[in-house]
Amino acid sequence: QIVFAPMPESNGIKEKLSRNARYLLPRPGLDRPLSGEGYERDRYPLARAFDAVSAGERLAGMVREWRVDVVILMHAWLLHYVPLLRRARPSVHVLCDLVDLDSDLSAQLMRSDRGLIQRGRHLMCWLTTRRLERTYFPMCDEFWALAPTESAKIRRWCRDGPVHVVPMAIDVDQVPPCESDGSKGELLFLGSLSFPPNKNAVVHLLNTLFPAI
């Protein structure tokens, strides 16, 4: 059995999971609460949405009830649930799938944002994510990272768990470019502009790269 522990807004992918995978949903009364040594509930601001619905206790209950073999944590804000998982099933394999190394991302946002309040928020995120990573990375069994640079940083804090670089699913060298004469000057950007790094990328593309081309 495999359990995916994703972000709450990812519920739309439920139908895409295989029959042998179980999906963490906020279902009340799934199991009785658990406690575990080292579990820090309501300590991390961006994890409170999970803690408020007892996501850690429910995930641990699923791991125990279904005798789960592998748990994939798909966000750093779920790392503090690892002690609960260990208590529910000591043999469970905890895999951390890191789309971003959140401490690095928070530090970059803090340096790039000019607003005092926004920089303060990024500083808080940086402090808490750095503590999360350094405290709970050694408790995980395996890591997936997107880039070798992030892989090297993860290895500094994990113990013996292997760190695998899993690149983007699309091999850009195998995808032929679309045919266009370039006269329309259109650009398709497949990213949310509400996310500051994506917005910065578009601004850099328009202000720096396009004039150079």
Side-chain angles (χ1 to χ4, degrees), residues 5 107 117 157 172-173 188 195 200:
I117 295 178
W157 300 320
V172 295
D173 294 330
L188 177 64
F195 187 47
N200 291 343

Side-chain angles (χ1 to χ4, degrees), residues 28-153:
L30 177 65
D31 208 339
R32 63 184 183 275
L34 294 172
S35 61
E37 183 180 355
Y39 175 40
E40 302 173 307
R41 178 172 179 146
D42 297 325
R43 182 185 183 105
Y44 302 101
L46 292 182
R48 286 175 182 166
F50 302 100
D51 296 345
V53 296
S54 301
E57 290 87 349
R58 295 176 184 178
L59 179 59
M62 295 165 66
V63 168
R64 181 182 58 194
E65 179 184 355
W66 297 332
R67 298 184 179 183
V68 170
D69 300 308
V70 179
V71 174
I72 302 176
L73 299 178
M74 299 176 66
H75 198 272
W77 297 107
L78 303 174
L79 283 170
H80 64 306
Y81 296 146
V82 175
L84 292 179
L85 305 179
R86 294 293 183 207
R87 179 167 180 175
R89 185 170 171 82
S91 63
V92 68
H93 186 89
V94 179
L95 192 158
C96 192
D97 183 9
L98 297 171
V99 177
D100 294 299
L101 190 60
D102 286 276
S103 58
D104 272 10
L105 178 60
S106 299
Q108 293 172 22
L109 293 174
M110 182 173 55
R111 290 192 295 265
S112 64
D113 212 321
R114 297 181 180 180
L116 184 60
I117 295 178
Q118 288 79 4
R119 293 187 69 181
R121 292 176 58 188
H122 297 318
L123 174 61
M124 177 190 68
C125 289
W126 176 71
L127 291 172
T128 53
T129 51
R130 187 178 65 166
R131 187 183 190 281
L132 265 170
E133 292 166 355
R134 295 187 179 185
T135 301
Y136 295 104
F137 273 3
M139 302 182 191
C140 297
D141 299 300
E142 185 177 349
F143 300 85
W144 291 349
L146 281 179
T149 53
E150 294 179 348
S151 173
K153 293 176 181 178

